[in-house]
Amino acid sequence: MKKFFALALAALAALVSCQKESYSPEPQPQTQPKIVFELTASYSDNAPATKAVKTGWEAGDVIFVFFEGVEAPKHLQMRYDGAAWTTVEMNGDTEGAIGLSNGKEGLMRALYLPFGSDSKISSGGSSEPRFFIENDNYYATRSYWLTGTLHYVVINNKVSGAFNMTIPEGFVQFYIQDPDAATKLAGKDEYTLSCPAVTPCGINAINATGLAIERDYMMGDPAYAGYKMCANAYKGGFLFSGCLVDEENYLNTYGNRYYLRRTFLEYNGIMTPVETKDLYVTPLNPLVSHDAVLLPSYDSPRWMPVDGSNSAVELSGASGSLGAWKIKNYGDYVPAGSEWLTTFNFQTANALGEKVPSRDEWEALIDGLTWAPIVVDRGIKGMLGVDKDGKYIFLQNGHYWTSTLFDETSAFCVQVESGDPVDKLAIIFADPTAPLAVRSMAGPTDPILNTFNPEITY
């Protein structure tokens, strides 16, 4: 019996020993040391690549930094307080470690949006990893940006570097002074500017592979010039930006000639056009990458109202007055209002109640102005005539009636063709039943707009 109890006690001791070993605490994982970011960014107003209306950092500016090897939407934010930069690791729109550790290295890209410091970064649910740039204000990401890249290495839990932030090649900016700009843009009303040498351009995303910037070309194609650039309010004015089209091609065709159009659309459930004004400028030098152009102020009389009215411009040649001519075709809301001309046969054209110019009046206009090819809103081409005082008129490509018959089977008309293959502006014959456009002169009761447009320099 004693032997039995001895064996039982030994077995119990062994069991207790095993249980003690199985309940011993497991080793805890080491806490990842916090990564310190010592990053700065230059914004030099002496650097050609940053020549702009805005030329320095301001309190509240945020730079978004993206790292190779870090998945979207994790990124770093550099925040400027007016004197120095602080950094915050972000996971989308909330704070959270981005996952760097000692020894990691790769490319990092910094991105600054002048009007998008409150933007949010998301992964967008895309099959191809991207850092999508999102903002409740649509226009904030439809502006120019500054960017810079550096190679990073995490050494002793630290990432260091100084970004040289520049505006990408091709961007230009336009500024129109208006002390009420911020108030006007606070709602849903829309203020736009178009220039045929510039295509609107915004930013869509940063590709996680290689950190390339994915541009967002409005209308879906960078070749579409002359579409509307969005406005952002900045220091008592409207700031517009876009990317130059093929500079050499534009300059070879049109030289230093730019036709700008400014629009205001009011939102009342739908966008309703309220005002359209045009400006023709011939600066001493052509637009080049990184130009920042100061245009006439919003209330300047140099902006010619062209919308929905019977406004006319009184033109003069070397020998005197050429008469007052309507600034748009009959049936158009604005000059070049449509790619398709509103047309009439000869009899109908001369029964519209408009003063259709005679052959002699057309001939005097053609001979009395200096003509050159130009392209206006949405790429519509034509010829632009400038008088001795700088006042101008635009004729869209096509054919226009005179009020003069040649005989029973033909009438005189005006042919306007720019660069196809050579510029044409001539009086020819047409069948009176043919559908042609009408550009009338001002009648006795039509208002006359006397506008003077000196050259603008920038």
Side-chain angles (χ1 to χ4, degrees):
M1 178 66 72
K2 289 182 179 179
K3 184 176 181 181
F4 172 78
F5 280 113
L7 290 172
L9 287 171
L12 179 61
L15 178 62
V16 170
S17 175
C18 290
Q19 288 178 334
K20 285 183 178 179
E21 289 178 7
S22 64
Y23 281 98
S24 61
E26 295 182 1
Q28 297 298 312
Q30 295 293 319
T31 303
Q32 176 66 36
K34 181 176 177 60
I35 302 299
V36 175
F37 295 91
E38 293 183 348
L39 299 173
T40 60
S42 63
Y43 191 155
S44 172
D45 40 9
N46 293 323
T50 56
K51 179 185 176 185
V53 176
K54 183 179 178 350
T55 55
W57 304 121
E58 300 172 2
D61 284 345
V62 171
I63 293 176
F64 302 90
V65 186
F66 309 92
F67 297 81
E68 270 188 330
V70 173
E71 63 182 6
K74 296 178 180 178
H75 65 285
L76 183 76
Q77 290 188 9
M78 298 171 58
R79 301 174 182 175
Y80 191 67
D81 62 8
W85 295 97
T86 58
T87 59
V88 180
E89 295 181 76
M90 301 291 294
N91 186 358
D93 57 358
T94 60
E95 294 188 20
I98 64 176
L100 292 182
S101 58
N102 280 324
K104 283 196 172 183
E105 63 178 302
L107 183 72
M108 56 179 173
R109 177 180 290 279
L111 173 69
Y112 169 65
L113 303 173
F115 307 102
S117 288
D118 60 345
S119 296
K120 297 177 175 58
I121 309 300
S122 74
S123 59
S126 173
S127 58
E128 184 175 354
R130 290 180 173 90
F131 299 90
F132 282 91
I133 319 297
E134 300 175 349
N135 198 293
D136 292 337
N137 175 13
Y138 175 81
Y139 305 141
T141 57
R142 269 62 186 173
S143 175
Y144 74 98
W145 60 83
L146 279 76
T147 188
T149 58
L150 288 172
H151 183 78
Y152 78 90
V153 183
V154 184
I155 301 175
N156 296 326
N157 304 314
K158 184 186 296 185
V159 174
S160 303
F163 290 104
N164 177 30
M165 303 293 285
T166 61
I167 300 173
E169 187 69 19
F171 267 109
V172 292
Q173 299 174 60
F174 301 91
Y175 183 79
I176 300 175
Q177 184 178 5
D178 184 347
D180 298 324
T183 301
K184 289 176 176 176
L185 291 172
K188 294 184 178 181
D189 295 343
E190 187 176 275
Y191 295 80
T192 69
L193 180 74
S194 65
C195 174
V198 179
T199 185
C201 181
I203 188 166
N204 182 44
I206 305 292
N207 197 302
T209 304
L211 299 186
I213 291 177
E214 297 182 4
R215 299 191 180 196
D216 180 12
Y217 291 99
M218 276 61 85
M219 305 307 298
D221 190 333
Y224 274 109
Y227 281 89
K228 298 173 180 178
M229 292 176 277
C230 302
N232 283 284
Y234 182 69
K235 289 191 174 179
F238 295 99
L239 186 61
F240 305 87
S241 64
C243 298
L244 286 171
V245 297
D246 184 336
E247 294 178 59
E248 183 176 348
N249 182 58
Y250 184 92
L251 293 176
N252 286 343
T253 306
Y254 305 110
N256 298 1
R257 298 190 296 275
Y258 303 98
Y259 195 106
L260 298 105
R261 174 160 293 173
R262 193 189 86 195
T263 66
F264 162 43
L265 287 82
E266 187 176 38
Y267 181 78
N268 292 307
I270 59 172
M271 286 294 184
T272 304
V274 174
E275 181 182 72
T276 304
K277 293 189 175 184
D278 289 359
L279 176 70
Y280 173 64
V281 295
T282 55
L284 297 177
N285 300 306
L287 285 172
V288 295
S289 179
H290 300 120
D291 268 344
V293 182
L294 181 63
L295 293 173
S297 63
Y298 196 82
D299 58 358
S300 170
R302 290 176 56 197
W303 289 101
M304 182 167 69
V306 297
D307 48 357
S309 67
N310 286 321
S311 294
V313 58
E314 180 113 25
L315 299 165
S316 301
S319 59
S321 174
L322 300 171
W325 289 72
K326 297 287 184 70
I327 60 176
K328 61 185 182 68
N329 292 345
Y330 185 86
D332 276 356
Y333 178 72
V334 293
S338 170
E339 182 180 355
W340 309 105
L341 295 172
T342 302
T343 58
F344 310 88
N345 62 37
F346 179 85
Q347 183 178 1
T348 303
N350 283 278
L352 293 171
E354 296 284 304
K355 177 175 169 44
V356 179
S358 68
R359 175 191 176 183
D360 290 343
E361 287 168 323
W362 267 111
E363 199 166 58
L365 183 77
I366 293 171
D367 294 340
L369 302 183
T370 300
W371 295 91
I374 197 70
V375 59
V376 299
D377 192 31
R378 292 164 292 123
I380 294 176
K381 298 178 181 180
M383 298 290 289
L384 188 133
V386 182
D387 78 357
K388 64 182 182 64
D389 297 321
K391 293 174 288 185
Y392 61 92
I393 187 170
F394 172 74
L395 297 175
Q396 186 174 343
N397 282 352
H399 293 78
Y400 298 79
W401 280 123
T402 75
S403 59
T404 307
L405 280 168
F406 177 69
D407 57 28
E408 294 181 357
T409 61
S410 61
F412 291 103
C413 73
V414 177
Q415 179 186 22
V416 180
E417 294 293 340
S418 60
D420 189 25
V422 296
D423 301 325
K424 296 177 184 177
L425 190 58
I427 296 176
I428 62 174
F429 299 108
D431 185 326
T433 63
L436 307 184
V438 172
R439 175 62 64 93
S440 54
M441 298 180 72
T445 59
D446 290 328
I448 295 175
L449 174 68
N450 289 302
T451 179
F452 178 70
N453 176 39
E455 287 188 348
I456 183 171
T457 58
Y458 54 85

